[in-house]
Amino acid sequence: MEKAKIGVVALVTQEYTGSYRAEKFFEDVCESMEKEKIDVVRAKKVVRNPADALEVCDSLQGRIHGLIIIDINWVVDSLQYIFTNELSVPVMFWALPFNETYSLACVHHYGACMKWQHETYEYVYGTPEEREVMDKVQAFAKVVSAIASVKHMRLGLIGPRQTWRVTGPQDMTNEELEFSKKFGTTILHIEMSELVGVAEAIQDEEAKPVLEELLARSGINELSKEASIYMAKMYMATKQLKERYQLDAIAAETCPVYSGLMNVQASWLADENIVVDTEGDIGHTMLQYALSRMDEKPAMLGEICSVEENIVRIYHEGSSAHSLAEVKERVLLQRSGALGCYVGLAMKETNKVTVLSLVGDKGKYKLFCDIGRVEGASDQEWEKAGTGCLAKVNFDMDGKKVVSFLMSQGLDHHYIVKIGDFTKEIAMLSNYLFLEEVKLRK
Protein backbone atom coordinates (compact mmCIF):
# COMPACT_ATOMS: atom_id res chain seq x y z
CA MET A 1 0.00 0.00 0.00
CA GLU A 2 1.47 3.34 -1.10
CA LYS A 3 1.77 5.83 1.74
CA ALA A 4 0.91 9.49 1.52
CA LYS A 5 3.83 11.90 1.58
CA ILE A 6 3.56 14.38 4.43
CA GLY A 7 5.41 17.68 4.16
CA VAL A 8 6.77 19.18 7.41
CA VAL A 9 7.70 22.84 7.78
CA ALA A 10 8.54 25.01 10.80
CA LEU A 11 7.66 28.71 10.88
CA VAL A 12 9.34 31.13 13.29
CA THR A 13 9.57 34.84 14.05
CA GLN A 14 13.23 35.29 14.92
CA GLU A 15 12.73 38.37 17.10
CA TYR A 16 10.09 36.77 19.35
CA THR A 17 10.59 34.61 22.44
CA GLY A 18 11.09 30.91 21.88
CA SER A 19 12.70 31.23 18.46
CA TYR A 20 15.76 29.32 19.68
CA ARG A 21 13.61 26.16 19.72
CA ALA A 22 13.08 26.14 15.93
CA GLU A 23 15.76 23.87 14.47
CA LYS A 24 15.78 21.33 17.31
CA PHE A 25 12.00 21.03 17.51
CA PHE A 26 11.72 20.67 13.73
CA GLU A 27 14.34 17.89 13.70
CA ASP A 28 12.68 16.08 16.61
CA VAL A 29 9.29 16.14 14.87
CA CYS A 30 10.66 14.82 11.58
CA GLU A 31 12.69 12.08 13.25
CA SER A 32 9.74 10.96 15.38
CA MET A 33 7.46 10.80 12.34
CA GLU A 34 10.01 8.78 10.40
CA LYS A 35 10.27 6.33 13.32
CA GLU A 36 6.49 5.93 12.99
CA LYS A 37 7.07 4.88 9.35
CA ILE A 38 5.43 8.04 8.02
CA ASP A 39 6.75 9.16 4.63
CA VAL A 40 8.13 12.60 5.54
CA VAL A 41 9.17 15.31 3.08
CA ARG A 42 11.20 17.84 5.07
CA ALA A 43 11.26 21.53 4.25
CA LYS A 44 14.75 22.53 3.17
CA LYS A 45 14.92 25.26 5.83
CA VAL A 46 13.10 26.77 8.77
CA VAL A 47 10.89 29.53 7.39
CA ARG A 48 11.56 33.02 8.74
CA ASN A 49 10.11 35.28 6.04
CA PRO A 50 7.96 35.25 2.88
CA ALA A 51 10.97 34.57 0.63
CA ASP A 52 11.75 31.43 2.64
CA ALA A 53 8.09 30.44 2.47
CA LEU A 54 7.94 30.71 -1.32
CA GLU A 55 11.18 28.78 -1.71
CA VAL A 56 9.89 25.95 0.50
CA CYS A 57 6.50 25.94 -1.22
CA ASP A 58 8.16 25.57 -4.61
CA SER A 59 10.21 22.63 -3.33
CA LEU A 60 7.09 20.89 -1.93
CA GLN A 61 4.70 21.65 -4.79
CA GLY A 62 3.37 18.43 -6.34
CA ARG A 63 5.40 16.24 -3.97
CA ILE A 64 3.15 16.07 -0.91
CA HIS A 65 -0.39 14.97 -0.07
CA GLY A 66 -0.64 16.66 3.33
CA LEU A 67 1.26 19.31 5.30
CA ILE A 68 2.20 19.77 8.95
CA ILE A 69 2.98 23.39 9.84
CA ILE A 70 4.84 23.87 13.13
CA ASP A 71 4.28 27.32 14.58
CA ILE A 72 7.42 27.62 16.71
CA ASN A 73 6.19 30.90 18.16
CA TRP A 74 3.83 33.66 17.07
CA VAL A 75 4.13 34.12 13.30
CA VAL A 76 2.14 36.51 11.14
CA ASP A 77 -0.91 34.99 9.50
CA SER A 78 0.24 36.21 6.09
CA LEU A 79 3.14 33.76 6.37
CA GLN A 80 0.88 30.81 7.15
CA TYR A 81 -1.46 31.88 4.35
CA ILE A 82 1.29 31.35 1.77
CA PHE A 83 1.44 27.63 2.58
CA THR A 84 -2.30 26.98 2.82
CA ASN A 85 -2.99 28.91 -0.38
CA GLU A 86 -0.06 27.73 -2.50
CA LEU A 87 -0.10 24.02 -1.63
CA SER A 88 -3.84 23.31 -1.25
CA VAL A 89 -3.47 20.04 0.68
CA PRO A 90 -4.93 18.96 4.05
CA VAL A 91 -3.13 20.86 6.82
CA MET A 92 -2.32 19.99 10.41
CA PHE A 93 -0.88 22.69 12.68
CA TRP A 94 1.52 21.83 15.48
CA ALA A 95 1.42 23.98 18.62
CA LEU A 96 4.33 23.91 21.07
CA PRO A 97 3.44 23.41 24.77
CA PHE A 98 5.65 26.26 26.00
CA ASN A 99 3.82 29.30 27.34
CA GLU A 100 6.41 31.90 26.35
CA THR A 101 6.16 30.99 22.64
CA TYR A 102 2.49 31.97 22.05
CA SER A 103 2.46 28.99 19.66
CA LEU A 104 -0.96 27.68 20.72
CA ALA A 105 -2.46 31.16 20.42
CA CYS A 106 -1.00 31.43 16.92
CA VAL A 107 -2.57 28.13 15.83
CA HIS A 108 -5.85 29.18 17.44
CA HIS A 109 -5.84 32.46 15.50
CA TYR A 110 -5.00 31.17 12.04
CA GLY A 111 -7.32 28.20 12.49
CA ALA A 112 -10.13 30.65 13.08
CA CYS A 113 -9.16 32.51 9.90
CA MET A 114 -9.43 29.26 7.94
CA LYS A 115 -12.85 28.48 9.41
CA TRP A 116 -14.09 31.94 8.45
CA GLN A 117 -13.07 31.16 4.88
CA HIS A 118 -14.90 27.80 4.94
CA GLU A 119 -11.62 25.91 5.06
CA THR A 120 -10.59 23.40 7.69
CA TYR A 121 -7.61 22.00 9.56
CA GLU A 122 -6.50 19.70 12.37
CA TYR A 123 -3.97 20.48 15.09
CA VAL A 124 -1.80 18.82 17.70
CA TYR A 125 -0.46 20.33 20.92
CA GLY A 126 2.59 18.95 22.65
CA THR A 127 5.95 17.38 21.91
CA PRO A 128 6.80 14.41 19.68
CA GLU A 129 7.70 12.39 22.78
CA GLU A 130 4.01 12.24 23.74
CA ARG A 131 2.17 9.11 22.53
CA GLU A 132 -1.14 10.93 22.20
CA VAL A 133 0.47 13.52 19.92
CA MET A 134 2.09 10.94 17.65
CA ASP A 135 -1.11 8.89 17.50
CA LYS A 136 -2.92 11.91 16.10
CA VAL A 137 -0.10 12.59 13.61
CA GLN A 138 -0.27 8.92 12.55
CA ALA A 139 -4.04 9.25 12.08
CA PHE A 140 -3.46 12.37 9.96
CA ALA A 141 -1.06 10.47 7.70
CA LYS A 142 -3.62 7.65 7.23
CA VAL A 143 -6.46 10.05 6.49
CA VAL A 144 -4.38 12.03 4.01
CA SER A 145 -3.55 8.75 2.26
CA ALA A 146 -7.25 7.91 2.05
CA ILE A 147 -8.21 11.35 0.77
CA ALA A 148 -5.48 11.35 -1.87
CA SER A 149 -6.46 7.84 -3.01
CA VAL A 150 -10.18 8.63 -3.25
CA LYS A 151 -9.51 11.89 -5.06
CA HIS A 152 -7.78 9.99 -7.88
CA MET A 153 -9.88 6.85 -7.60
CA ARG A 154 -11.35 5.06 -10.61
CA LEU A 155 -14.44 3.12 -9.64
CA GLY A 156 -15.92 0.59 -12.06
CA LEU A 157 -19.73 0.45 -12.03
CA ILE A 158 -20.49 -2.89 -13.65
CA GLY A 159 -24.11 -3.17 -14.72
CA PRO A 160 -26.67 -1.74 -17.15
CA ARG A 161 -26.46 1.85 -18.32
CA GLN A 162 -29.32 4.20 -17.48
CA THR A 163 -30.15 5.25 -21.08
CA TRP A 164 -32.96 7.47 -19.83
CA ARG A 165 -33.21 11.03 -18.61
CA VAL A 166 -35.62 13.65 -17.40
CA THR A 167 -33.63 16.84 -17.89
CA GLY A 168 -30.17 15.64 -16.93
CA PRO A 169 -27.46 13.47 -18.49
CA GLN A 170 -28.41 10.34 -20.42
CA ASP A 171 -26.01 7.58 -19.42
CA MET A 172 -25.03 8.85 -15.98
CA THR A 173 -27.09 10.44 -13.23
CA ASN A 174 -26.85 13.88 -11.69
CA GLU A 175 -26.02 12.14 -8.42
CA GLU A 176 -22.97 10.46 -9.99
CA LEU A 177 -21.73 13.83 -11.23
CA GLU A 178 -22.32 15.44 -7.83
CA PHE A 179 -20.53 12.56 -6.09
CA SER A 180 -17.54 12.88 -8.42
CA LYS A 181 -17.36 16.62 -7.82
CA LYS A 182 -17.49 16.14 -4.04
CA PHE A 183 -14.96 13.33 -3.64
CA GLY A 184 -12.97 13.40 -6.89
CA THR A 185 -13.84 9.78 -7.74
CA THR A 186 -14.17 8.93 -11.44
CA ILE A 187 -17.00 6.48 -12.13
CA LEU A 188 -16.55 4.23 -15.17
CA HIS A 189 -19.61 2.49 -16.61
CA ILE A 190 -18.90 -1.06 -17.75
CA GLU A 191 -21.50 -3.48 -19.11
CA MET A 192 -22.00 -6.77 -17.28
CA SER A 193 -22.05 -8.41 -20.72
CA GLU A 194 -18.44 -7.32 -21.21
CA LEU A 195 -17.36 -9.00 -17.96
CA VAL A 196 -19.31 -12.18 -18.81
CA GLY A 197 -17.85 -12.17 -22.32
CA VAL A 198 -14.29 -12.01 -20.98
CA ALA A 199 -15.04 -14.89 -18.58
CA GLU A 200 -16.59 -17.08 -21.26
CA ALA A 201 -13.56 -16.58 -23.52
CA ILE A 202 -11.28 -18.16 -20.89
CA GLN A 203 -10.58 -21.86 -21.52
CA ASP A 204 -11.23 -24.47 -18.81
CA GLU A 205 -7.60 -25.58 -18.83
CA GLU A 206 -6.52 -22.00 -18.17
CA ALA A 207 -8.98 -21.65 -15.27
CA LYS A 208 -8.27 -24.96 -13.52
CA PRO A 209 -4.92 -24.03 -11.89
CA VAL A 210 -6.41 -20.70 -10.78
CA LEU A 211 -9.36 -22.53 -9.27
CA GLU A 212 -7.04 -24.92 -7.47
CA GLU A 213 -5.21 -22.00 -5.84
CA LEU A 214 -8.48 -20.27 -4.92
CA LEU A 215 -10.03 -23.37 -3.37
CA ALA A 216 -6.88 -23.93 -1.31
CA ARG A 217 -7.74 -20.76 0.61
CA SER A 218 -11.51 -21.25 0.52
CA GLY A 219 -13.97 -22.80 2.90
CA ILE A 220 -16.28 -25.74 2.24
CA ASN A 221 -17.20 -25.83 -1.46
CA GLU A 222 -20.72 -27.05 -2.31
CA LEU A 223 -20.56 -25.95 -5.96
CA SER A 224 -20.56 -28.30 -8.89
CA LYS A 225 -17.35 -28.75 -10.84
CA GLU A 226 -18.83 -26.71 -13.69
CA ALA A 227 -19.90 -23.87 -11.41
CA SER A 228 -16.54 -23.83 -9.62
CA ILE A 229 -14.65 -23.45 -12.91
CA TYR A 230 -17.06 -20.71 -14.01
CA MET A 231 -16.53 -18.80 -10.75
CA ALA A 232 -12.76 -19.01 -11.31
CA LYS A 233 -13.26 -17.61 -14.81
CA MET A 234 -15.34 -14.73 -13.43
CA TYR A 235 -12.58 -14.06 -10.89
CA MET A 236 -10.00 -13.96 -13.69
CA ALA A 237 -12.25 -11.78 -15.84
CA THR A 238 -12.79 -9.32 -12.98
CA LYS A 239 -9.03 -8.93 -12.57
CA GLN A 240 -8.63 -8.45 -16.33
CA LEU A 241 -11.24 -5.68 -16.38
CA LYS A 242 -9.65 -4.10 -13.33
CA GLU A 243 -6.37 -3.93 -15.23
CA ARG A 244 -7.94 -2.88 -18.55
CA TYR A 245 -9.74 0.09 -17.01
CA GLN A 246 -7.14 0.79 -14.30
CA LEU A 247 -9.81 0.40 -11.63
CA ASP A 248 -9.16 0.90 -7.94
CA ALA A 249 -12.44 -0.72 -6.85
CA ILE A 250 -15.62 -2.16 -8.35
CA ALA A 251 -19.33 -1.80 -7.63
CA ALA A 252 -21.26 -4.53 -9.46
CA GLU A 253 -24.94 -5.11 -10.02
CA THR A 254 -26.03 -8.44 -8.55
CA CYS A 255 -29.73 -8.04 -7.89
CA PRO A 256 -32.12 -9.03 -9.30
CA VAL A 257 -30.65 -10.17 -12.63
CA TYR A 258 -27.07 -11.22 -11.84
CA SER A 259 -27.43 -12.74 -8.39
CA GLY A 260 -24.47 -14.95 -7.49
CA LEU A 261 -22.20 -13.93 -10.38
CA MET A 262 -19.83 -11.73 -8.35
CA ASN A 263 -20.18 -12.84 -4.74
CA VAL A 264 -17.37 -15.34 -4.28
CA GLN A 265 -15.13 -13.18 -6.48
CA ALA A 266 -15.74 -10.30 -4.07
CA SER A 267 -14.79 -12.58 -1.15
CA TRP A 268 -11.61 -13.86 -2.79
CA LEU A 269 -10.54 -10.38 -3.90
CA ALA A 270 -11.29 -8.80 -0.52
CA ASP A 271 -8.57 -10.95 0.99
CA GLU A 272 -6.25 -9.53 -1.67
CA ASN A 273 -7.17 -5.99 -0.49
CA ILE A 274 -9.29 -5.34 -3.60
CA VAL A 275 -12.75 -3.92 -2.95
CA VAL A 276 -15.62 -5.39 -4.98
CA ASP A 277 -19.07 -4.37 -3.76
CA THR A 278 -21.92 -6.61 -4.91
CA GLU A 279 -24.75 -4.12 -4.47
CA GLY A 280 -23.76 -1.52 -7.06
CA ASP A 281 -23.30 0.87 -4.12
CA ILE A 282 -20.86 3.55 -5.30
CA GLY A 283 -20.70 5.45 -2.01
CA HIS A 284 -19.90 2.46 0.17
CA THR A 285 -17.47 1.07 -2.39
CA MET A 286 -15.59 4.38 -2.20
CA LEU A 287 -15.75 4.33 1.61
CA GLN A 288 -14.45 0.74 1.81
CA TYR A 289 -11.61 1.70 -0.52
CA ALA A 290 -10.76 4.71 1.66
CA LEU A 291 -10.69 2.43 4.72
CA SER A 292 -8.42 -0.01 2.88
CA ARG A 293 -5.90 2.82 2.45
CA MET A 294 -5.83 3.21 6.24
CA ASP A 295 -5.69 -0.49 7.03
CA GLU A 296 -5.55 -3.46 4.66
CA LYS A 297 -7.89 -5.72 6.63
CA PRO A 298 -11.15 -6.26 4.68
CA ALA A 299 -14.51 -4.91 5.75
CA MET A 300 -18.00 -6.37 5.57
CA LEU A 301 -20.93 -4.62 3.89
CA GLY A 302 -24.43 -5.59 4.93
CA GLU A 303 -27.89 -4.48 5.94
CA ILE A 304 -29.59 -4.34 9.33
CA CYS A 305 -32.11 -7.15 9.02
CA SER A 306 -33.16 -7.82 12.62
CA VAL A 307 -32.50 -6.85 16.23
CA GLU A 308 -32.69 -8.72 19.52
CA GLU A 309 -31.97 -6.96 22.79
CA ASN A 310 -28.55 -5.27 22.27
CA ILE A 311 -27.75 -7.26 19.11
CA VAL A 312 -28.07 -5.61 15.71
CA ARG A 313 -27.79 -8.24 12.96
CA ILE A 314 -26.00 -6.91 9.90
CA TYR A 315 -26.52 -9.41 7.10
CA HIS A 316 -25.80 -9.84 3.41
CA GLU A 317 -26.60 -12.44 0.77
CA GLY A 318 -22.93 -13.43 0.86
CA SER A 319 -19.80 -11.81 -0.54
CA SER A 320 -17.58 -11.00 2.45
CA ALA A 321 -13.92 -11.93 2.85
CA HIS A 322 -13.13 -15.44 4.07
CA SER A 323 -10.77 -13.96 6.67
CA LEU A 324 -13.70 -12.38 8.53
CA ALA A 325 -14.77 -15.85 9.70
CA GLU A 326 -13.21 -17.54 12.72
CA VAL A 327 -11.60 -20.13 10.45
CA LYS A 328 -11.97 -20.81 6.74
CA GLU A 329 -13.65 -24.14 7.54
CA ARG A 330 -16.63 -22.10 8.79
CA VAL A 331 -17.07 -20.49 5.36
CA LEU A 332 -19.52 -22.13 2.96
CA LEU A 333 -19.56 -21.64 -0.83
CA GLN A 334 -23.20 -22.21 -1.74
CA ARG A 335 -24.99 -22.55 -5.05
CA SER A 336 -26.83 -19.55 -6.46
CA GLY A 337 -28.60 -20.29 -9.73
CA ALA A 338 -27.09 -22.58 -12.32
CA LEU A 339 -23.47 -21.39 -12.15
CA GLY A 340 -23.39 -18.74 -9.44
CA CYS A 341 -22.32 -18.74 -5.81
CA TYR A 342 -22.93 -16.92 -2.58
CA VAL A 343 -20.70 -17.01 0.47
CA GLY A 344 -21.91 -17.97 3.91
CA LEU A 345 -20.07 -17.08 7.11
CA ALA A 346 -20.55 -15.70 10.59
CA MET A 347 -18.14 -12.89 11.38
CA LYS A 348 -15.68 -13.85 14.10
CA GLU A 349 -16.01 -12.51 17.63
CA THR A 350 -14.23 -9.16 17.77
CA ASN A 351 -13.87 -6.82 20.73
CA LYS A 352 -13.89 -3.64 18.68
CA VAL A 353 -15.31 -2.84 15.25
CA THR A 354 -16.11 0.43 13.54
CA VAL A 355 -19.53 0.58 11.88
CA LEU A 356 -20.03 3.18 9.14
CA SER A 357 -22.63 4.37 6.66
CA LEU A 358 -22.56 7.18 4.08
CA VAL A 359 -25.63 8.96 2.73
CA GLY A 360 -26.41 12.25 0.99
CA ASP A 361 -26.52 14.15 -2.26
CA LYS A 362 -26.06 17.62 -3.79
CA GLY A 363 -22.71 17.97 -2.04
CA LYS A 364 -24.12 17.40 1.44
CA TYR A 365 -23.30 14.05 3.01
CA LYS A 366 -23.71 12.39 6.38
CA LEU A 367 -21.22 9.80 7.63
CA PHE A 368 -22.31 7.55 10.47
CA CYS A 369 -19.43 6.18 12.55
CA ASP A 370 -19.54 4.43 15.89
CA ILE A 371 -17.87 1.65 17.82
CA GLY A 372 -19.37 -1.73 18.60
CA ARG A 373 -18.26 -5.28 19.08
CA VAL A 374 -19.09 -8.44 17.17
CA GLU A 375 -20.38 -11.37 19.16
CA GLY A 376 -19.80 -14.91 17.94
CA ALA A 377 -22.66 -16.79 16.30
CA SER A 378 -23.25 -20.51 16.57
CA ASP A 379 -23.91 -22.58 13.46
CA GLN A 380 -27.55 -22.73 14.49
CA GLU A 381 -27.80 -18.93 14.80
CA TRP A 382 -26.13 -18.52 11.43
CA GLU A 383 -28.47 -21.01 9.75
CA LYS A 384 -31.51 -19.36 11.32
CA ALA A 385 -30.31 -15.96 10.03
CA GLY A 386 -30.25 -17.30 6.46
CA THR A 387 -26.75 -18.79 5.80
CA GLY A 388 -25.39 -15.61 4.19
CA CYS A 389 -22.80 -13.30 5.78
CA LEU A 390 -23.78 -12.38 9.33
CA ALA A 391 -22.30 -9.94 11.86
CA LYS A 392 -23.88 -9.79 15.33
CA VAL A 393 -23.02 -6.23 16.34
CA ASN A 394 -23.49 -5.05 19.92
CA PHE A 395 -23.43 -1.28 20.48
CA ASP A 396 -24.11 -1.72 24.22
CA MET A 397 -27.54 -0.22 23.84
CA ASP A 398 -30.98 -1.49 22.89
CA GLY A 399 -30.97 -2.60 19.24
CA LYS A 400 -34.41 -1.12 18.54
CA LYS A 401 -33.20 2.28 19.77
CA VAL A 402 -30.13 1.99 17.52
CA VAL A 403 -32.28 1.34 14.44
CA SER A 404 -34.77 4.08 15.35
CA PHE A 405 -31.92 6.58 15.76
CA LEU A 406 -30.34 5.65 12.43
CA MET A 407 -33.67 5.92 10.64
CA SER A 408 -34.41 9.26 12.29
CA GLN A 409 -31.08 10.59 10.94
CA GLY A 410 -31.95 9.59 7.38
CA LEU A 411 -29.25 6.92 7.26
CA ASP A 412 -29.83 4.28 4.60
CA HIS A 413 -29.79 0.49 4.96
CA HIS A 414 -26.15 -0.31 4.06
CA TYR A 415 -23.50 -0.48 6.80
CA ILE A 416 -19.80 -1.28 6.73
CA VAL A 417 -18.27 -3.29 9.58
CA LYS A 418 -14.50 -2.79 9.85
CA ILE A 419 -12.38 -4.56 12.47
CA GLY A 420 -10.59 -2.04 14.70
CA ASP A 421 -11.24 1.44 16.04
CA PHE A 422 -11.12 4.07 13.28
CA THR A 423 -13.19 6.73 15.01
CA LYS A 424 -10.30 9.22 15.20
CA GLU A 425 -9.49 8.78 11.54
CA ILE A 426 -13.14 9.02 10.48
CA ALA A 427 -13.67 12.18 12.54
CA MET A 428 -10.65 13.67 10.81
CA LEU A 429 -11.82 12.47 7.37
CA SER A 430 -15.25 14.02 8.00
CA ASN A 431 -13.58 17.29 8.95
CA TYR A 432 -11.44 17.51 5.81
CA LEU A 433 -14.22 16.41 3.45
CA PHE A 434 -16.90 18.52 5.18
CA LEU A 435 -19.12 15.54 6.02
CA GLU A 436 -21.66 15.70 8.82
CA GLU A 437 -20.54 13.04 11.29
CA VAL A 438 -23.34 11.09 12.99
CA LYS A 439 -22.76 9.12 16.20
CA LEU A 440 -25.03 7.14 18.50
CA ARG A 441 -23.50 8.78 21.55
CA LYS A 442 -22.66 12.46 21.74
Side-chain angles (χ1 to χ4, degrees), residues 10-63:
L11 279 52
V12 68
T13 301
Q14 198 62 41
E15 297 79 15
Y16 289 179
T17 57
S19 61
Y20 70 92
R21 298 182 185 273
E23 279 76 8
K24 177 69 164 56
F25 200 90
F26 174 73
E27 286 295 323
D28 289 347
V29 167
C30 292
E31 288 178 7
S32 295
M33 289 175 64
E34 288 164 351
K35 286 178 182 176
E36 296 282 329
K37 308 300 183 185
I38 297 172
D39 197 345
V40 175
V41 181
R42 300 186 183 204
K44 58 173 62 176
K45 61 169 65 175
V46 170
V47 172
R48 291 175 168 81
N49 54 57
D52 289 345
L54 293 172
E55 182 182 350
V56 170
C57 280
D58 287 344
S59 70
L60 297 178
Q61 193 71 254
R63 298 177 59 206

Side-chain angles (χ1 to χ4, degrees), residues 104-141:
L104 180 59
C106 186
V107 169
H108 193 162
H109 166 64
Y110 192 70
C113 295
M114 292 186 71
K115 293 289 186 180
W116 296 335
Q117 297 299 318
H118 306 290
E119 297 178 6
T120 194
Y121 67 98
E122 292 282 342
Y123 82 98
V124 287
Y125 168 78
T127 68
E129 291 78 30
E130 297 172 54
R131 187 65 256 166
E132 182 181 0
V133 169
M134 294 312 297
D135 283 346
K136 192 167 183 180
V137 172
Q138 185 70 262
F140 173 72

Side-chain angles (χ1 to χ4, degrees), residues 315-318 332 334 342-345 382-389:
Y315 184 76
H316 195 260
E317 67 171 348
L332 189 63
Q334 303 165 83
Y342 72 93
V343 178
L345 63 87
W382 169 71
E383 288 174 4
K384 185 179 179 181
T387 74
C389 290

Side-chain angles (χ1 to χ4, degrees), residues 351-386:
N351 288 333
K352 195 166 286 186
V353 294
T354 306
V355 183
L356 308 104
S357 184
L358 179 69
V359 67
D361 65 355
K362 297 180 178 64
K364 295 182 179 179
Y365 292 83
K366 286 185 175 184
L367 179 55
F368 169 74
C369 174
D370 221 312
I371 288 292
R373 65 180 186 275
V374 172
E375 296 190 3
S378 67
D379 291 341
Q380 292 74 23
E381 287 179 287
W382 169 71
E383 288 174 4
K384 185 179 179 181

